[in-house]
Amino acid sequence: DRLEEALTAQKCQLEIFRALNDERETAAVLNNLGMTLMDMEKYQEARVALQECLVLNESLQGVDSKNVVPTLDNLSDAQRNLGQLNEARASAERALRIMEARYKEQEPTLYSTALFRNGEVLMAIGGAENLNRAIELYQRSIAILKNQHERHPNLPQAYENLAVIYDKLGNADAAEEYRQQKIRLEDG
């Protein structure tokens, strides 16, 4: 299996870079390892790798660096998949705060991802207030990606997530409209 091969290679790389005391490369491998573990649905192991990656990135880049945002987003995803919704919300909100404070104009795609990840967490938490906030975040994410003229992988999922939210809120017409937008985008 390709994921198992990737996992083995990344664990070997991690051992080498740790032995060399190369924190930058160790952090990069930990991020890749975390993503591989996420793909394998090993969320607890992914969370551990991503938390270690975050600590290293913060010490190397600074706690408010845009370089910690992808790690926070990935960590939030692992936490959400583990049902650790308060932790997931804190990680996602921190990533969004960093982007909004300093980088949203410079890094619109990264900003869009932070909006998207916050929407995912709010969907998982549920409740009308959170779902309505998720709608706003997904719509902002979509607007940014459309403005960038990107066929970003988050775009169809954002439409699908909006459809799910509108279903939960009892608005079948809006849900169907977003499903149709997703289909048009995928057929594009």
Side-chain angles (χ1 to χ4, degrees):
D1 175 86
R2 294 176 59 97
L3 289 174
E4 285 293 339
E5 289 174 17
L7 185 63
T8 300
Q10 290 163 347
K11 286 182 177 181
C12 288
Q13 291 171 338
L14 187 58
E15 197 174 303
I16 291 167
F17 290 125
R18 281 185 170 152
L20 294 171
N21 291 319
D22 188 332
E23 290 184 338
R24 188 172 307 280
E25 290 301 323
T26 297
V29 172
L30 282 166
N31 184 68
N32 293 339
L33 178 64
M35 298 312 298
T36 299
L37 291 164
M38 291 284 292
D39 288 343
M40 297 173 80
E41 298 181 3
K42 295 182 177 185
Y43 302 118
Q44 181 62 29
E45 292 175 61
R47 183 189 62 77
V48 170
L50 292 165
Q51 283 179 318
E52 187 178 347
C53 176
L54 179 62
V55 168
L56 285 173
N57 278 334
E58 288 172 335
S59 72
L60 292 166
Q61 310 285 333
V63 294
D64 291 331
S65 167
K66 69 179 179 184
N67 297 320
V68 302
V69 171
T71 306
L72 285 165
D73 282 338
N74 295 334
L75 179 59
S76 169
D77 199 24
Q79 292 163 327
R80 181 179 55 83
N81 279 293
L82 287 166
Q84 299 171 341
L85 299 180
N86 290 332
E87 294 88 346
R89 185 177 199 163
S91 296
E93 286 178 348
R94 180 173 165 215
L96 186 57
R97 277 193 311 275
I98 291 169
M99 290 307 300
E100 287 180 334
R102 300 168 88 172
Y103 304 107
K104 70 180 182 181
E105 301 300 324
Q106 298 168 282
E107 300 283 347
T109 303
L110 189 57
Y111 178 49
S112 172
T113 299
L115 291 165
F116 180 88
R117 193 68 70 210
N118 272 269
E120 285 185 319
V121 172
L122 292 171
M123 265 183 76
I125 293 171
E129 183 179 331
N130 288 327
L131 294 176
N132 284 311
R133 174 78 172 134
I135 288 170
E136 175 204 334
L137 295 171
Y138 282 128
Q139 288 173 337
R140 287 170 53 198
S141 178
I142 288 168
I144 291 166
L145 292 176
K146 282 182 159 183
N147 191 43
Q148 296 297 308
H149 306 290
E150 288 191 34
R151 292 191 53 93
H152 193 279
N154 285 352
L155 200 50
Q157 189 61 52
Y159 285 127
E160 179 60 28
N161 290 353
L162 282 166
V164 169
I165 291 170
Y166 277 114
D167 276 338
K168 287 180 179 183
L169 293 173
N171 188 337
D173 291 340
E176 181 58 27
E177 174 55 33
Y178 281 107
R179 283 197 178 86
Q180 291 303 314
Q181 287 185 48
K182 176 187 177 194
I183 290 168
R184 284 192 297 273
L185 180 68
E186 291 175 335
D187 290 345

